Amino acid sequence: MNKSTKSFFSNFLFLTLSLIFLFNSNTWGISKTIDKKQSINKTNSTTNAGAIVVKKWADDKKSAFSFSFDDAYVSQYINTRPILNQFGFKGTFFLLAGSIHDSVPEWRYGLWWQFLEMAQEGHEMAAHTMTHPHLRSMPVGDEQTPNTITYELYQSKILIEQKIGEKVISFAYPYTEHNAKVDNVTKKYFENGRAIGDVPNPSSLSGNAWYSLTSKQAEFNLPRNTPSDDLDELANYETFTQNSINNGQWTIFQGHEVLPFSEIAAALSQGSYLPISNQWLTALAQWIKNKSDNNDIWVETIGNVTRYIKERDNFTFNVVSSTANQIIISVNDGLDNTIYNYPLTTDIEVPNNWNNVTFTQDNVTKSLTTFTNNGVNYVRANVIPSGGNVTIQNSATLFTITSSAGSNGSITPLGVTSVNSGGSQAYTITPSSGYKIESITVDGNPETVTTNSGQTYTFTNVVVNHTISATFSVIQFTITSSAGSNGSITPLGVTSVNSGGSQAYTITPNTGYKIDSIKVDGTPVTVTTNSGQTYTFTNVTANHTITATFSVIQFTITSSAGSNG
Ligand SMILES: [Zn+2]
């Protein structure tokens, strides 16, 4: 391989890899996007208006992060809740349903009203069985038989749903222990199953992967005498999460009790598993918040990230109609609408001359401003796949100009035309052959006709509605006739003739006279019948003259006389 070939190939490889990286990092599923554009092109070859690109993560952030806390400790209400709320984060709480009571707490667990209150604040209440068993060693069983997998999962789900009043879709395996048998039961009742793992979750999951969600727990080396003894684990966690950001992945945090540092030692002595200090969780949450503000991390519950990924990966759209100022798009994801109703962050392609649009879906209307990326104009909007048709209306102030034309000519464009405020619109007025522009009327006032064979009129800086109309008339020419004395020409004088028309003249000498000459446009024509004849102009396209002269008829008398007289 010579040097230039080698250089070409290395450049080509670099460019190709760069493009692949660009597509992967900016847009989810570029191949899917191309498919959709192709399907639009079948019906509209000039534009992709209405094409929707779903962003990989909500708000176009680089990665996803979920806080989850297991077992339903009362400390989660007392300490975890205010720390998450301080930063505006919603967490997922895997409740050990059988150990939560209405009024008298069991051990370190919380009460139903506490978790109900958290649910009403937007935190996700999820299931973690009734009794925290080792599920792998249980039979599959059924919904009504205690000490079976099915009973543990089903009963915890319906108890939480009954107490909280919301659908429970997320599940965490006790001790993070699961196998195919456990997974199969989990699939019947939940949309995901949270386990544990050393790496974050990928941005796209399918099938069984939904029942092996990884989570990373904070693990603290002993001794834990002061809060600073836990700082090494804070650094570990930030490194782990930074890698998740860099790879566009989904980190699930797994925690249990959250306590003031001063209570950690006592909790450990009571068997509390990996308790986290308020100080530690606050420091992590602050770090996550900074990353979130920098668009690096999208923080959501496990249930809502599950919704986002599945809706995104199953999203389809169809442009129902696309006119100059409005696009209607149908959207779908083929999923259960009672569960999958989370808004997706999307970029929707709109015509290049749109600046502000009104976005409407499911009776929600928003005013949005467009942005341009690689020469394509988009609007970013939250679209719910189960939310019905999306309507995008160009909200620039529009005015109408109404045009009309009389017979024997045309005005283009004809009828009602919309013009943006401050915009321009030109009209071309063209008479039919043999006709001329007779009048142009703008907003009821006559305009000067400068070129009656056809002209243009332009409205500029349009800020009100307008009308324009034109009339046309036939083009006429004159023929001027005259006759000398002793004869006549009919018609005499100036006669108008339509363009292309004909006009006949009768030339008649007086008695005793004859036609002497006929001149048309100054040129003599042959006199064929000097006792009177007709001359006809045909296909008249210019002015003409015709004149006739007469002379006396003379006879010759030839006389002769004989001789002598
Ligand atoms: Zn647990």
Side-chain angles (χ1 to χ4, degrees), residues 263-453:
E263 297 176 20
I264 293 280
L268 283 168
S269 72
Q270 284 196 34
S272 178
Y273 180 64
L274 292 175
I276 296 167
S277 74
N278 290 351
Q279 294 90 329
W280 193 95
L281 182 62
T282 302
L284 178 67
Q286 181 63 64
W287 187 87
I288 297 286
K289 179 68 164 67
N290 292 343
K291 295 290 179 180
S292 170
D293 290 346
N294 197 37
N295 287 326
D296 282 346
I297 294 181
W298 170 48
V299 180
E300 248 299 5
T301 62
I302 293 172
N304 283 342
V305 175
T306 298
R307 288 181 172 97
Y308 193 97
I309 293 173
K310 291 188 184 181
E311 291 174 24
R312 181 199 66 199
D313 288 354
N314 290 285
F315 183 80
T316 59
F317 70 90
N318 182 50
V319 178
V320 175
S321 71
S322 179
T323 64
N325 288 301
Q326 180 180 272
I327 305 167
I328 299 175
I329 311 158
S330 67
V331 294
N332 198 9
D333 60 13
L335 301 170
D336 179 353
N337 290 344
T338 65
I339 296 173
Y340 291 94
N341 46 22
Y342 194 84
L344 298 173
T345 300
T346 69
D347 287 346
I348 307 173
E349 195 169 334
V350 296
N352 283 335
N353 60 347
W354 293 18
N355 296 315
N356 295 290
V357 306
T358 302
F359 168 94
T360 306
Q361 188 191 28
D362 199 18
N363 296 320
V364 175
T365 294
K366 283 187 175 169
S367 294
L368 302 169
T369 301
T370 64
F371 67 95
T372 300
N373 185 20
N374 288 329
V376 179
N377 205 28
Y378 295 99
V379 62
R380 179 158 296 168
N382 285 338
V383 170
I384 302 173
S386 59
N389 281 359
V390 169
T391 300
I392 301 173
Q393 182 85 33
N394 183 11
S395 55
T397 307
L398 294 174
F399 297 102
T400 59
I401 303 179
T402 306
S403 71
S404 59
S407 52
N408 302 309
S410 66
I411 187 165
T412 305
L414 179 66
V416 177
T417 300
S418 293
V419 182
N420 287 337
S421 179
S424 298
Q425 179 65 46
Y427 284 86
T428 302
I429 301 158
T430 310
S432 302
S433 176
Y435 290 81
K436 65 181 196 288
I437 301 172
E438 176 67 21
S439 71
I440 300 173
T441 305
V442 172
D443 299 335
N445 301 313
E447 278 292 317
T448 305
V449 178
T450 55
T451 312
N452 63 15
S453 61

Side-chain angles (χ1 to χ4, degrees), residues 70-71 128 132 173-175 256:
D70 296 6
D71 301 340
H128 195 41
H132 215 279
Y173 307 103
Y175 313 104
H256 297 80

Side-chain angles (χ1 to χ4, degrees), residues 218-220 229-241 279-285 287:
E219 296 178 5
F220 303 96
D229 287 337
D230 289 348
L231 288 179
D232 54 342
E233 179 59 6
L234 184 63
N236 286 343
Y237 218 99
E238 289 170 0
T239 300
F240 182 89
T241 308
Q279 294 90 329
W280 193 95
L281 182 62
T282 302
L284 178 67
W287 187 87

